[in-house]
Amino acid sequence: APPPLPPVFLALANVSGDHGKIGTPVPAPSFAFLTSNHSAELQLGGIDRDAVLGPVFSVVSTEVHSYSIPIASITLGGIPILSLAKPVPGADLSIPGILDSGTTCICLPDSTRGGTLEFSPWQKFHDVVGQAPVAPLVIAIQGGPTIEIPYAVWKSGVNEVHGCVSKGCPEDRVVLGDWLFQSMAVVFGWAPGKRPTISIAKRNPAYRLKGFEDAHAGGWEPALSA
């Protein structure tokens, strides 16, 4: 007999009927990814609404072939960590922030990006982190809301993971890694030939990441829309 299908393929094929009519594949080309210090959860075709708290904000990726959001600023306890230089006509009002769950914490440029930034964000973070107040790391999205990385998330990363805040980012962009996925509910939407959509909402602190034994629990909803 052939080996059983892995759980991910069973979910995509919807053989159980948990996600609608049996045999009808997961309806939306999207997925959500959530993590904690000890586990992670991949949700296919949408997100469990119980994982979300408050409103959802959607932004179109800055690029076709990656998931990237426009970052206008980063602050820590009111202290600027990433600050754009005084804008001139035609200048960018943001820099790309790549979403990458494989990055341990966060990657910050160690340069001014040719004068686009006032100072090196990586150096500024290391200059102030030892005296930083008990406050979230706040990332402002251009034209949108802010993302808050709670103190408990970024502080434990800095204390427990050597080199947690890295530099040498691809093309001197910001890379938002595991800190983002521990703090927010993130849904990635895909459309052939178009820039993908990224939907972001606050995580519900009461939501428990499911294990394999919970794979057929209810609560699935279609993908969050823009």
Side-chain angles (χ1 to χ4, degrees):
L5 288 172
V8 66
F9 289 100
L10 291 172
L12 284 171
N14 188 31
V15 297
S16 65
D18 285 349
H19 308 319
K21 184 179 178 182
I22 291 178
T24 302
V26 172
S30 64
F31 64 94
F33 194 66
L34 308 93
T35 71
S36 71
N37 272 336
H38 307 289
S39 59
E41 189 170 291
L42 173 66
Q43 300 180 6
L44 303 171
I47 190 168
D48 188 333
R49 297 282 177 164
D50 289 341
V52 175
L53 190 66
V56 177
F57 175 78
S58 293
V59 59
V60 177
S61 176
T62 60
E63 301 175 0
V64 174
H65 301 296
S66 68
Y67 293 102
S68 176
I69 59 176
I71 294 177
S73 67
I74 300 177
T75 58
L76 179 58
I79 302 170
I81 299 298
L82 183 150
S83 180
L84 295 170
K86 187 175 181 180
V88 297
D92 291 335
L93 300 178
S94 65
I95 70 169
I98 301 171
L99 278 58
D100 177 26
S101 61
T103 295
T104 303
C105 298
I106 192 171
C107 184
L108 296 172
D110 186 22
S111 76
T112 64
R113 288 176 54 91
T116 301
L117 303 175
E118 290 188 353
F119 42 77
S120 158
W122 181 86
Q123 188 61 57
K124 187 61 175 288
F125 183 89
H126 283 276
D127 288 345
V128 306
V129 68
Q131 296 78 39
V134 180
L137 184 70
V138 179
I139 301 165
I141 302 175
Q142 181 190 3
T146 57
I147 294 171
E148 292 191 357
I149 309 299
Y151 175 83
V153 171
W154 71 258
K155 188 65 173 180
S156 65
V158 169
N159 288 344
E160 298 172 11
V161 182
H162 178 70
C164 179
V165 179
S166 58
K167 57 181 179 178
C169 319
E171 299 180 8
D172 261 357
R173 306 173 188 183
V174 172
V175 181
L176 301 174
D178 188 53
W179 283 357
L180 171 67
F181 298 97
Q182 287 194 49
S183 308
M184 308 295 290
V186 185
V187 184
F188 302 88
W190 178 77
K194 299 180 180 179
R195 290 185 292 165
T197 298
I198 303 160
S199 298
I200 302 174
K202 287 185 178 180
R203 286 269 295 273
N204 181 355
Y207 181 78
R208 181 176 65 89
L209 295 185
K210 296 180 176 66
F212 287 112
E213 68 277 6
D214 304 311
H216 298 299
W220 183 91
E221 293 283 350
L224 295 169
S225 57

